[in-house]
Amino acid sequence: MKILFFLTCSIFFIESLAAQTVRIPASYSNIHYDESGRLYFQKDNQRFYADTAKANYSLQQMLGNPQGGEDGITLNFGSIKGTLVYGFIPYGKAPHPLPVYRLSAPLQNGKAVMNIKRDFRDPYDMVGWQQSGIMHIGYRVIDERGMILYDGVVSVTGKGPFAVVPAIYDGPYVNNVTHNSAVLWFKTDSPVQASVKVNKKQFSDVTPQTHHELAITGLQPATEYQYKVQYGSLSQTYSFKTAPKPGSRKPFVFAYTSDSRHAYGGGERMVYGANAYIMKKIGALAYQQNAAFLQFTGDMINGYLTNKEEQHLQLTNWKKALEPFWHYMPVYAGQGNHEALTYSFKNSAGATVASIDKFPYAATSAETVMQEAFVNPANGPESEDGNKYDPDASQLDFPSYKENVFYYSYDNVAMIVLNSDYWYAPQVSRESATSGGMHGYLMDNQIAWLKQTIDKLEKDATIDHIFLTQHTPVFPNGGHVGDDMWYRGNNDKRPYIAGKPVEKGIIERRDEYLDILINRSKKVLAVLTGDEHNYNRLQLTKEVNIYPDNYPHKKLNVSRSIYQINNGAAGAPYYAQETAPWSSHTKAFSVQNALCLFYVDGKKVKMKVINPDTLNEIDTIELR
Ligand SMILES: [Fe+2]
């Protein structure tokens, strides 16, 4: 009787443990939970456990839990040792308000007090808080080694005592701009029912929240609109311009770059995760050149993390660098390999044996973090669910493509943004036993969606030029000849789904991709890529050798020429040129930081490439 009771209890105990674990997507292989619910990857009777190390930092921690007091504000950053630097942000007094840091205080037990009465009395009251009782204090958290961890903002009311009120720490940003609509969005550090006023019309949140995303509709083409963001008793005012009526064929400019993960040399080149120094210069240059939008395709941050809150901190640091310009000009961000968010399986020495996109996908995948961190058009494919390898048609076994694969248009130009780091398992090209997406590989459902989208845009009489962009070069030239869409010519490389390799290898899939762009389209002009931290261009013609020796598969018919424009020079540490079969056709190779500016004038497109740091020209070419 006693034994039976014990057995029943044990079974109940094991079942309840199993109930606490999340279903492992059927698209993976050799991934299991152990008796205590710990996730592991099994290979040759060996178990490699998922890294459960805590995050170094989180975004929530950097918000500093501000508390008002009689003389000022106390911020608390938990375990961080270092320094707090602070000063006012003059919203409304400058078109691109930035904090003017004026004072610093050591963090003691992670805390610092900003004494407003003492620090910001005359002649330091540049925002008039002594009259209005309103101020926004920008703060910078610096660790003990001098690395900048975060630039934040706390909004304050009162003349002493002081009260903390909801602050916008991220945004406001303008996105999804069309000829008659736009989306304005921002994040606040505490819930508030915010609104945006455009053209005397008010668009409001339904409930108090921290992520605010308001669709502005009923606008006129090619018109500048002021917008006023109201949050509690505070407001900020900026403006944006709608796109011209599709097919107007008026001259305009757009900007392209990628790869801005943090670099060396200290200062703002390493604001935890992002090269904020170069990104800010890129934002300023794009805005100064009147860019209608900035397309940025992958590796915004250092990333490769296992914790979502830490990933959000790095992405916020990246956005903050562009924020002063993004108030006015949309920025569209695509996914790269560094945006990976994984379960990382380690050996006993602590080395990573394999890693996979984190699940449950809807809550914690790299794709979900991208969707939470950015606002992009939601017109892409659903996911890779339902592809011919999907092991379980009734369940979701792949992350979403929502807002990481999409397209948009501006006048007579269409931009198709693809994800060549989808469902990314960083080691899968060497360790396929886990299954997972492979760097550089465009999977089946994405390719099917691309075909449909190209067909639609080919028929659209308002569109003259189609640009494609994905993080990985079709033809790597420096830094990634060993992977991207080439793998040194090794077509064996491919993703694995549920333990099985997919049918088409990387070179075959590259050729299918190019076949769509070249032979299914007359409008595709160029593929904009990154990943390699340099600038170069390559004109693909039938003269260019794109195959390894003795390639056994069907070869591509290059019936017309297209360009590959690689610009991964937005601040990540450089890569020099390597040798590839197409090297003699690779032009204008440069490791200077670079912004590509496309000047579209009806049927003509000219590109200028400018160093955003020094403003010298790197390259110029008429593309069409
Ligand atoms: Fe990359």
Side-chain angles (χ1 to χ4, degrees), residues 66-127:
Q67 300 291 326
E70 186 54 42
D71 298 323
I73 305 294
T74 304
L75 289 163
N76 185 352
F77 303 100
S79 57
I80 296 171
K81 296 188 181 92
T83 309
L84 185 77
V85 182
Y86 57 100
F88 286 132
I89 306 177
Y91 292 135
K93 291 178 167 36
H96 308 286
L98 285 163
V100 184
Y101 294 128
R102 194 75 175 75
L103 295 138
S104 72
L107 290 174
Q108 287 169 334
N109 297 322
K111 284 187 191 172
V113 179
M114 303 185 292
N115 188 319
I116 296 168
K117 279 188 185 166
R118 183 195 64 204
D119 296 341
F120 295 117
R121 65 187 193 280
D122 289 326
Y124 305 109
D125 181 6
M126 65 185 248
V127 296

Side-chain angles (χ1 to χ4, degrees), residues 260-534:
S260 55
R261 64 182 165 91
H262 66 209
Y264 304 100
E268 299 191 8
R269 291 180 193 276
M270 194 185 282
V271 175
Y272 187 53
N275 189 333
Y277 169 66
I278 293 299
M279 278 320 297
K280 188 177 285 173
K281 300 209 96 171
I282 281 172
L285 176 60
Y287 182 77
Q288 187 264 351
Q289 290 284 308
N290 241 328
F293 59 86
L294 167 63
Q295 173 62 42
F296 192 104
T297 313
D299 288 8
M300 285 70 83
I301 55 164
N302 228 48
Y304 274 111
L305 296 170
T306 56
N307 185 285
K308 176 177 167 175
E309 291 310 314
E310 192 167 1
Q311 191 100 332
H312 270 300
L313 171 61
Q314 294 198 351
L315 289 168
T316 304
N317 286 342
W318 184 83
K319 286 184 279 180
K320 292 298 277 185
L322 289 170
E323 187 189 81
F325 315 101
W326 200 339
H327 297 320
Y328 303 92
M329 167 191 76
V331 177
Y332 299 100
Q335 188 169 328
N337 52 303
H338 276 265
E339 279 71 53
L341 182 65
T342 66
Y343 280 123
S344 180
F345 302 102
K346 307 263 185 184
N347 65 17
S348 51
T352 301
V353 174
S355 44
I356 54 172
D357 198 8
K358 208 168 176 182
F359 59 87
Y361 295 130
T364 64
S365 63
E367 289 75 10
T368 290
V369 173
M370 283 292 292
Q371 195 193 325
E372 289 172 351
F374 298 101
V375 169
N376 288 321
N379 54 13
E382 289 289 322
S383 77
E384 284 299 325
D385 275 293
N387 72 23
K388 67 180 178 188
Y389 313 97
D390 185 354
D392 185 345
S394 67
Q395 301 252 30
L396 289 181
D397 291 304
F398 293 91
S400 174
Y401 275 128
K402 198 177 172 202
E403 296 185 60
N404 62 77
V405 174
F406 55 93
Y407 78 98
Y408 55 92
S409 58
Y410 188 98
D411 198 338
N412 59 337
V413 165
M415 177 72 69
I416 303 176
V417 181
L418 299 179
N419 187 352
S420 58
D421 285 298
Y422 171 79
W423 189 48
Y424 177 44
Q427 287 77 25
V428 84
S429 66
R430 302 186 297 277
E431 177 51 86
S432 57
T434 58
S435 300
M438 190 179 78
H439 186 54
Y441 196 97
L442 301 167
M443 296 182 77
D444 290 15
N445 289 359
Q446 190 174 176
I447 287 285
W449 173 85
L450 173 66
K451 280 185 192 163
Q452 284 172 14
T453 305
I454 288 283
D455 290 352
K456 187 158 63 185
L457 294 168
E458 285 293 316
K459 282 192 215 121
D460 185 339
T462 67
I463 299 294
D464 296 324
H465 314 290
I466 302 173
F467 290 84
L468 271 295
T469 185
Q470 81 277 338
H471 182 62
T472 55
V474 184
F475 305 111
N477 281 293
H480 281 277
V481 171
D483 50 61
D484 289 342
M485 297 191 180
W486 177 237
Y487 287 83
R488 295 190 201 284
N490 184 354
N491 188 55
D492 292 342
K493 301 290 181 183
R494 63 196 68 195
Y496 278 65
I497 300 174
K500 295 196 186 80
V502 300
E503 195 184 310
K504 298 280 171 64
I506 185 74
I507 313 281
E508 291 169 280
R509 179 46 49 96
R510 176 201 72 179
D511 281 6
E512 284 178 302
Y513 176 43
L514 290 172
D515 186 48
I516 297 167
L517 309 191
I518 294 169
N519 299 319
R520 207 178 173 102
S521 166
K522 289 187 168 62
K523 296 180 180 177
V524 170
L525 174 55
V527 185
L528 313 180
T529 63
D531 203 22
E532 301 191 301
H533 308 158
N534 45 57

Side-chain angles (χ1 to χ4, degrees), residues 565-584:
I565 291 156
N566 189 74
N567 182 11
Y574 74 88
Y575 293 120
Q577 192 161 4
E578 297 177 277
T579 308
W582 44 83
S583 288
S584 62

